[in-house]
Amino acid sequence: GQSLEQPSEVTAVEGAIVQINCTYQTSGFYGLSWYQQHDGGAPTFLSYNGLDGLEETGRFSSFLSRSDSYGYLLLQELQMKDSASYFCAVRDGAAGNKLTFGGGTRVLVKP
Amino acid sequence: DGGITQSPKYLFRKEGQNVTLSCEQNLNHDAMYWYRQDPGQGLRLIYYSQIVNDFQKGDIAEGYSVSREKKESFPLTVTSAQKNPTAFYLCASSYSVEGITEAFFGQGTRLTVV
């Protein structure tokens, strides 16, 4: 089966940097994705890593190490609007493209 | 505009009743998914489908049923066998090929059993 582990909560101040780690177990790995969800809303896609290394998209970056079954999301120059839950997700190509999410990390940005 | 639509946004159900949640997409995606989210929790996979007339159980399929008669539609029925159905239900769709993993979500249906 699949499983993903990520911290439950992180608190930081505006302008700081936050790293959210994600470790995963899956049989047919098709890449690691990250999603953001504000309270009461739907998750929205942030980034995808199919190969090892760092992907940068503005203030957000995501990293993957397939040999370690590990990735992280880096949030830089934190803003109040970044207060949300962040989920890592893996797609299992050996299970009919099953898309499984982690439990989510709640990020609280303080002034 | 292309997108994925869930209806209704809020739904109230009496105990013992079945209820069906609608999910429609016009993104031409092959894959569709149903997730359940409880307060402060992650997304748990109920059912998913990669192609019309085919679907697979996710991690918490008991008490739920689905159909995929059209590419655009993937309705979820919450049956009376689901012991604790009050939750936020999210439908998603995506392309079904390796390397393209962005899933698009509907705005969700909040189901309350009264």
Side-chain angles (χ1 to χ4, degrees):
Chain A
Q2 297 168 298
S3 67
L4 298 96
E5 295 290 331
Q6 51 181 126
S8 59
E9 192 171 300
V10 173
T11 301
V13 297
E14 273 188 295
I17 299 174
V18 161
Q19 178 173 317
I20 302 170
N21 299 321
C22 174
T23 57
Y24 62 87
Q25 287 185 322
T26 186
S27 48
F29 182 71
Y30 265 14
L32 182 71
S33 302
W34 290 91
Y35 290 78
Q36 178 191 60
Q37 184 184 32
H38 286 99
D39 285 347
T44 56
F45 175 82
L46 288 177
S47 69
Y48 165 75
N49 294 76
L51 301 174
D52 291 352
L54 189 69
E55 295 285 340
E56 297 180 81
T57 309
R59 294 185 297 112
F60 295 175
S61 303
S62 59
F63 171 83
L64 175 66
S65 169
R66 288 175 295 171
S67 60
D68 295 321
S69 297
Y70 163 78
Y72 66 72
L73 179 69
L74 195 68
L75 314 180
Q76 302 179 80
E77 301 172 19
L78 275 177
Q79 302 176 6
M80 296 297 291
K81 67 179 181 179
D82 298 331
S83 290
S85 293
Y86 295 83
F87 298 90
C88 56
V90 292
R91 186 185 299 271
D92 187 343
N97 271 314
K98 183 180 182 182
L99 181 61
T100 301
F101 285 76
T105 299
R106 190 170 184 85
V107 173
L108 178 61
V109 182
K110 294 186 173 181
Chain B
D1 288 338
I4 181 165
T5 303
Q6 289 184 243
S7 61
K9 188 172 182 180
Y10 297 96
L11 188 57
F12 296 88
R13 187 195 97 174
K14 291 183 178 180
E15 283 194 37
Q17 286 182 338
N18 291 357
V19 63
T20 297
L21 282 58
S22 170
C23 179
E24 303 276 335
Q25 55 98 1
N26 60 2
L27 299 166
N28 200 35
H29 286 164
D30 291 308
M32 296 189 75
Y33 305 83
W34 273 106
Y35 295 91
R36 169 183 172 138
Q37 187 174 36
D38 293 287
Q41 303 298 312
L43 283 69
R44 292 187 290 167
L45 183 63
I46 305 172
Y47 269 98
Y48 61 110
S49 168
Q50 297 302 301
I51 195 169
V52 173
N53 293 322
D54 188 40
F55 48 82
Q56 289 80 41
K57 291 182 179 180
D59 300 314
I60 56 164
E62 186 175 350
Y64 300 97
S65 65
V66 294
S67 63
R68 188 84 187 275
E69 297 176 2
K70 299 187 300 181
K71 187 176 185 178
E72 301 79 19
S73 179
F74 192 40
L76 173 74
T77 296
V78 184
T79 75
S80 56
Q82 171 48 237
K83 299 304 179 187
N84 184 20
T86 295
F88 187 44
Y89 290 88
L90 287 158
C91 179
S93 70
S94 74
Y95 288 110
S96 187
V97 294
E98 182 177 1
I100 303 176
T101 62
E102 178 176 357
F104 293 81
F105 283 83
Q107 290 304 302
T109 293
R110 205 165 292 276
L111 173 64
T112 303
V113 173
V114 297

